[in-house]
Amino acid sequence: MASDKKSLVSRRKFLDLTAKGTLASSAIISGFPTIVPASVFGKNAPSNRINVAAIGTGRISRGHDMPGVWQYDNALIMAVCDLDSKRAEAAKQLVNGVYAKKTGKDYDGVRVYTDYRELLLNKDIDAVLVSTPDHWHAPIVIDAVRAKKDVYMQKPASLTIAEGRMMADAVKKSGQIVQVGSQQRSSEQFRYAAELVRNGRIGQLKTVYVGLPGDPSGDEEPPMPVPKNLNYDMWLGTTPEVYYTEKRVHPQADFDRPGWLRCEQFGAGMITGWGAHHVDSAHWAMNTEYTGPVEIWGKADFPKHGLWDVHGIFRTEALYENGVHMIVSNEIPNGIKFEGTEGWIFVSRGDAAVTASDPIAKQNAAKKLDASDPKIITSVIGPNETHLTVSKEHHGNWLESIVSRKEPIAPAEVGHRSCSACLLHHAAMKLNRKLYWDPKKEQFKNDPEANKLLSRTQRAPYAIKLMASAK
């Protein structure tokens, strides 16, 4: 079985197989039924059903992404994949249990993989959920679209701006449907706030305040033996080889919030973790979804010791070409405040959480929507005014797009621009000086030191540049 094999497909061979179309003949997927019988899901016959695979089966996948798909009868989670075989097996049991409950019959139709490259060779899989740590988002999405799979990817879109550009370009070239997990776009209050701003209900927009949660630092953590169930080398992926300790990766006993979220090796911290959501929502209202700031500055405190080294308290600012000034800080209430010449609007998730361990400061974000004048938020958007795309549920919008082949509400290029803006704020934190950005060239202006932050050295054999240049 695939779950018992170790990285049978090199990235180079995977790309060759994909390019030649020799996917289904691979012995990697032999021994499995081709599809689940139509009788299991009634009217949703196999020919009408979207077969989905989950890549990465930890906290966000179990609590958000897989439930987001299995609620729809026209989609079937037929495979799960995780570099931790214990988590992969737990995901199989979880999904089998859900479908057994839905159908009222015994169910054992979920296939298990521990290498996503093997999973992508399965022609029966139409689409994948990418719910991995941040540093694996772009590489897997690029591989997936080249294998002609549609993708729902967790935000942020990439570890670096260079990776994000490669990802967005690969998606455009492939023609596949990719939805970035910026699910605030599918929340009514964020769409309505954006429409109110775009339609001038607060006059000319001047300043946007973005409030994010914070992340505490931690202690030094000793080296530990790598669990036999974890392919730690592949888990590190493109990033440097460092010793294993459980709090660097994810808990072995449960699915609580993982420690990698606080390690700069794998992500930038809350500036991209939550910033990718709020900056995306801000861009939506600002009508700057396909560009970025032109000036960025600010500062942050970084831990001086301990395993966890992402930013702590910070305040960064940015200026956009349209004159809008954005201020981002974890000392601002969690949410987004749009301030114009004739009033302000504040929007947040309220006390809603994606998972139970989300770091939401409920006391700072009690209202989903507020304004300087109550009349602003009771305003009706007229038929001749700007109306933004309506999505009732983010995973559902993705599945609808797979069927229609129309762009989803949070496409790859938009997700890349949201992520890159956050990474620009992170660069300002690191350099502690004003930076000047060219959104068209996606380069800092006359600043070689800052431009070094656009990419990172990548470790073989997982380097994205090798895959991106392959034919």
Side-chain angles (χ1 to χ4, degrees):
M1 293 178 62
S3 58
D4 296 325
K5 299 186 179 182
K6 298 285 187 179
S7 301
L8 297 181
V9 185
S10 69
R11 175 161 288 165
R12 209 37 104 165
K13 185 175 181 182
F14 163 77
L15 290 166
D16 289 342
L17 289 171
T18 301
K20 294 173 183 176
T22 55
L23 306 183
S25 62
S26 171
I28 294 167
I29 58 171
S30 64
F32 289 112
T34 305
I35 50 177
V36 177
S39 58
V40 174
F41 288 92
K43 65 179 181 180
N44 290 292
S47 60
N48 299 323
R49 195 178 56 228
I50 302 167
N51 287 330
V52 179
I55 302 174
T57 60
R59 176 190 69 129
I60 200 71
S61 181
R62 294 172 65 91
H64 182 59
D65 287 335
M66 289 194 292
V69 170
W70 72 44
Q71 66 179 308
Y72 297 100
D73 289 338
N74 69 328
L76 173 73
I77 299 176
M78 63 171 290
V80 295
C81 177
D82 202 288
L83 291 171
D84 186 326
S85 61
K86 186 166 68 174
R87 287 190 161 205
E89 187 61 33
K92 173 186 175 181
Q93 299 302 322
L94 174 66
V95 179
N96 277 339
V98 167
Y99 288 138
K101 186 175 181 179
K102 286 183 75 169
T103 61
K105 304 175 183 178
D106 290 340
Y107 186 85
D108 189 23
V110 178
R111 314 173 191 186
V112 176
Y113 295 84
T114 55
D115 188 324
Y116 79 90
R117 297 168 299 189
E118 298 167 11
L119 179 152
L120 293 179
L121 292 170
N122 187 340
K123 274 190 171 180
D124 290 336
I125 294 170
D126 303 308
V128 296
L129 299 167
V130 179
S131 312
T132 64
D134 295 358
H135 65 292
W136 266 112
H137 288 176
I140 295 176
V141 172
I142 294 171
D143 275 348
V145 297
R146 289 187 169 182
K148 293 301 178 185
K149 312 298 185 188
D150 297 317
V151 182
Y152 183 105
M153 66 177 299
Q154 266 301 322
K155 39 49 61 191
S158 62
L159 183 64
T160 68
I161 291 176
E163 290 178 15
R165 172 44 53 209
M166 281 192 275
M167 182 276 296
D169 287 347
V171 171
K172 182 178 181 180
K173 183 178 181 180
S174 73
Q176 296 303 121
I177 298 296
V178 174
Q179 175 91 298
V180 180
S182 301
Q183 73 268 12
Q184 288 179 176
R185 286 180 173 247
S186 295
S187 296
E188 184 178 8
Q189 74 268 27
F190 285 97
R191 185 192 75 250
Y192 182 47
E195 289 177 335
L196 291 172
V197 173
R198 285 213 193 186
N199 287 295
R201 296 302 194 272
I202 57 172
Q204 183 181 356
L205 180 63
K206 291 293 186 180
T207 309
V208 179
Y209 298 89
V210 176
L212 308 179
D215 251 333
S217 59
D219 298 325
E220 301 289 349
E221 297 292 338
M224 299 170 64
V226 178
K228 293 182 179 179
N229 49 285
L230 175 66
N231 183 347
Y232 182 58
D233 180 74
M234 192 172 182
W235 187 91
L236 289 172
T238 63
T239 76
E241 186 174 354
V242 289
Y243 69 82
Y244 172 82
T245 189
E246 186 172 333
K247 288 188 178 180
R248 193 194 303 278
V249 185
H250 56 246
Q252 283 293 309
D254 54 41
F255 297 93
D256 283 348
R257 191 166 185 257
W260 64 261
L261 284 163
R262 289 185 255 180
C263 296
E264 278 206 334
Q265 181 166 343
F266 314 116
M270 281 296 180
I271 188 61
T272 53
W274 265 74
H277 285 303
H278 285 350
V279 170
D280 179 70
S281 294
H283 279 182
W284 207 18
M286 294 162 60
N287 196 18
T288 56
E289 300 166 273
Y290 292 93
T291 182
V294 294
E295 297 179 16
I296 316 97
W297 65 98
K299 58 184 179 179
D301 293 335
F302 287 88
K304 295 179 173 57
H305 61 82
L307 175 71
W308 290 330
D309 58 359
V310 295
H311 68 82
I313 295 172
F314 78 101
R315 179 185 172 98
T316 53
E317 304 182 45
L319 181 67
Y320 286 73
E321 193 171 19
N322 61 7
V324 176
H325 178 201
M326 180 182 287
I327 301 170
V328 187
S329 175
N330 59 359
E331 296 184 310
I332 297 173
N334 187 350
I336 311 163
K337 183 179 180 181
F338 300 97
E339 193 173 82
T341 54
E342 298 175 24
W344 57 262
I345 294 169
F346 175 79
V347 62
S348 79
R349 294 189 190 180
D351 61 359
V354 172
T355 71
S357 57
D358 269 4
I360 292 180
K362 293 183 180 181
Q363 70 277 12
N364 290 332
K367 286 190 175 182
K368 290 184 177 181
L369 195 61
D370 199 5
S372 53
D373 184 340
K375 292 181 181 179
I376 292 173
I377 53 178
T378 57
S379 174
V380 176
I381 308 299
N384 296 323
E385 294 187 285
T386 298
H387 290 260
L388 300 174
T389 302
V390 175
S391 166
K392 298 297 184 182
E393 199 278 322
H394 212 56
H395 296 89
N397 175 264
W398 174 57
L399 295 172
E400 289 170 2
S401 293
I402 289 174
V403 174
S404 70
R405 309 315 293 175
K406 295 180 180 178
E407 195 168 70
I409 196 170
E413 181 66 31
V414 169
H416 164 61
R417 292 293 182 165
S418 300
C419 179
S420 63
C422 295
L423 290 169
L424 293 175
H425 284 262
H426 187 249
M429 292 182 199
K430 303 298 283 188
L431 297 177
N432 197 25
R433 59 180 171 82
K434 182 170 279 193
L435 305 173
Y436 299 88
W437 178 249
D438 185 331
K440 292 182 179 178
K441 295 180 179 179
E442 294 189 273
Q443 293 279 319
F444 291 103
K445 297 179 180 179
N446 303 315
D447 197 334
E449 182 185 23
N451 281 322
K452 289 180 180 179
L453 300 179
L454 299 180
S455 62
R456 299 190 191 185
T457 300
Q458 297 177 350
R459 187 172 66 99
Y462 306 106
I464 304 174
K465 59 184 178 182
L466 297 178
M467 176 196 61
S469 63
K471 301 296 183 183

